[in-house]
Amino acid sequence: MAAGHQGPGAAGRRRLRHLQQAQGWFVAISVIGKEHFGTLDDGTKADIWTVSNGGITLKVLSYGGVVQTLDVPDRDGRTANVSLGFGDLGDYVTHSPYFGALIGRYGNRIAGGRFTLDGTAHQLPVNNGPNCLHGGDRGFDRRIWDVEPFTAGEDTGLALRRTSPDGEMGFPGTLEVEVVHTLTRGGAWRIDYTATTDRATVVNLTNHTYFNLAGEGSGSVHDHRVEIAAARYTPVDSDLIPTGRLAAVEGSPLDFRRPKAIGRDLRAAYRQIVLANGFDHNFVLDKGVTAEPEHVATVTDPASGRVLRIATTEPGVQFYTANFLDGSFAGTSGRVYRQGDAFCLETQHFPDSPNQPSFPSTVLRPGETYRTTTVHTFGTC
Ligand code: GLA
């Protein structure tokens, strides 16, 4: 593959590779570089960047900060891409349901696309029924990001940066955003988000990877077993806006406090499941907001043996079972994606927090730094 590495102190084409010996194992850490991925209608070019820690290989697009590929070994060491996506930029532009995307300025829905902050009303685009979803119709998932590769000790990764101008998609304040993907030697894929503003605003950033631990295009994830450390969730109305109540998962299909197959209650005649056409709910993580990432969820694919463990600083996670995939397009491997072919665990603050005073605050003020971290650790069983 073409290696057009650009990075600190690394002018021109170059390939970085460090062979590291740890506990008797050699681990190859590499920033493999970038390739041209496609060109937008306005002539803007989009790149695809590849980094690897010897176990996981991560490919990220400058378009939308999209995680396009996530190659992970199974229990026999066979690698598969566990992230749904496309091989073509045009597919991302015309019909991506946020595959792998960097979501901002506000993950999930804001009711009516409206909120009031310090007495000033703000109107955002309405792009999902009557509501604003994932930051509006041209959110962070549709912007070109500056990408800088790095190696730091035994880690390697990509830093994505962008300035979102004051008023973009109706949000107040110039927002300086940095999203850093790091692959660690321990098998983790870590995302650190930081942002600052010059006017009071609201921020809720996340990543929208659709996982299938058996490999994208391999069929449904109904057999995957999910565990989420949440005794409560935020029930929604028919537009998927939280009612404001925190409901107990106990005795309901939303109880994932012990590992449970996704398919077991997916078709339960339970009002919340019917409203969302499956699981599409924000879980109130028992640990709340934390300064350091804490473990919140585990997903296991019994067939491949792949295990995904998620730790986060965030107070919520949107568990979504790809209910809106309808078989109308094919993905990276050329196979059609259908409902239930993936799951998302979008770590976040709660949906519609700007209109819900009792939810943890998403307000960011000048002089403060928005800082959240989510760590995905892959293993096998
Ligand atoms: C989030 C939402 C879902 C859906 C997806 C994107 O997970 O909660 O309702 O909109 O994003 O398709």
Side-chain angles (χ1 to χ4, degrees):
M1 108 185 246
H5 173 77
Q6 293 179 336
R13 287 172 163 264
R14 187 166 125 198
R15 182 179 172 101
L16 292 182
R17 180 172 285 270
H18 306 282
L19 278 177
Q20 300 185 327
Q21 191 166 20
Q23 294 163 355
W25 293 91
F26 280 103
V27 182
I29 306 262
S30 55
V31 174
I32 295 170
K34 71 169 178 178
E35 289 181 292
H36 176 64
F37 188 68
T39 306
L40 297 171
D41 282 350
D42 67 2
T44 309
K45 293 188 184 328
D47 298 320
I48 182 165
W49 287 85
T50 304
V51 289
S52 177
N53 65 1
I56 305 170
T57 297
L58 172 72
K59 298 189 182 199
V60 174
L61 306 183
S62 57
Y63 176 81
V66 163
V67 170
Q68 191 265 355
T69 291
L70 193 57
D71 286 329
V72 178
D74 69 5
R75 65 161 72 90
D76 299 318
R78 279 187 305 248
T79 289
N81 175 12
V82 299
S83 167
L84 273 61
F86 300 112
D88 190 85
L89 181 64
D91 286 320
Y92 282 103
V93 174
T94 57
H95 52 246
S96 178
Y98 305 95
F99 281 160
L102 197 178
I103 302 292
R105 295 188 184 189
Y106 198 95
N108 214 280
R109 294 174 177 81
I110 296 180
R114 266 190 308 276
F115 67 96
T116 299
L117 182 57
D118 298 340
T120 305
H122 298 278
Q123 180 66 54
L124 314 171
V126 162
N127 60 333
N128 183 255
N131 304 314
C132 180
L133 175 67
H134 294 331
D137 54 320
R138 283 207 66 206
F140 287 0
D141 59 296
R142 295 185 158 267
R143 306 287 176 174
I144 294 285
W145 291 76
D146 290 330
V147 183
E148 187 183 13
F150 65 88
T151 53
E154 300 180 341
D155 299 343
T156 183
L158 300 168
L160 279 63
R161 294 186 192 96
R162 181 169 180 270
T163 302
S164 172
D166 185 20
E168 185 175 73
M169 293 286 104
F171 290 95
T174 309
L175 200 70
E176 301 286 348
V177 185
E178 185 180 70
V179 178
V180 180
H181 294 269
T182 306
L183 296 182
T184 71
R185 198 197 65 192
W189 162 40
R190 174 182 172 118
I191 314 178
D192 291 284
Y193 302 86
T194 50
T196 55
T197 185
D198 60 0
R199 274 176 72 194
T201 191
V202 294
V203 190
N204 189 26
L205 308 180
T206 192
N207 176 269
H208 210 308
T209 293
Y210 285 63
F211 295 98
N212 183 323
L213 297 183
E216 61 80 29
S218 68
S220 100
V221 295
H222 291 188
D223 290 342
H224 285 37
R225 294 172 73 76
V226 173
E227 186 177 9
I228 305 173
R232 294 175 299 172
Y233 72 105
T234 50
V236 288
D237 67 15
S238 56
D239 288 323
L240 303 184
I241 293 293
T243 62
R245 211 162 56 86
L246 305 185
V249 298
E250 178 130 35
S252 85
L254 289 103
D255 192 347
F256 284 93
R257 289 173 298 171
R258 292 168 194 278
K260 183 171 76 166
I262 289 178
R264 198 180 100 184
D265 292 331
L266 191 57
R267 282 165 174 60
Y270 186 79
R271 181 147 174 79
Q272 284 296 316
I273 303 287
V274 174
L275 283 175
N277 213 15
F279 295 105
D280 189 356
H281 294 88
N282 171 66
F283 285 73
V284 178
L285 297 169
D286 294 338
K287 67 166 192 74
V289 176
T290 44
E292 294 300 321
E294 290 187 15
H295 174 74
V296 294
T298 304
V299 186
T300 304
D301 170 34
S304 67
R306 290 191 187 88
V307 179
L308 167 62
R309 290 170 56 83
I310 297 182
T312 187
T313 57
E314 288 283 62
V317 67
Q318 188 81 13
F319 176 50
Y320 173 58
T321 45
N323 312 325
F324 297 123
L325 293 184
D326 60 4
S328 61
F329 52 75
T332 315
S333 60
R335 289 170 64 87
V336 162
Y337 295 144
R338 296 193 197 286
Q339 190 180 46
D341 279 2
F343 67 91
C344 302
L345 283 166
E346 303 151 62
T347 51
Q348 61 184 7
H349 271 55
F350 306 169
D352 200 31
S353 296
N355 294 306
Q356 297 282 356
S358 66
F359 288 178
S361 173
T362 52
V363 174
L364 180 71
R365 297 187 181 280
E368 299 173 344
T369 301
Y370 170 95
R371 215 183 283 282
T372 75
T373 298
T374 296
V375 184
H376 310 78
T377 305
F378 289 95
T380 54
C381 66

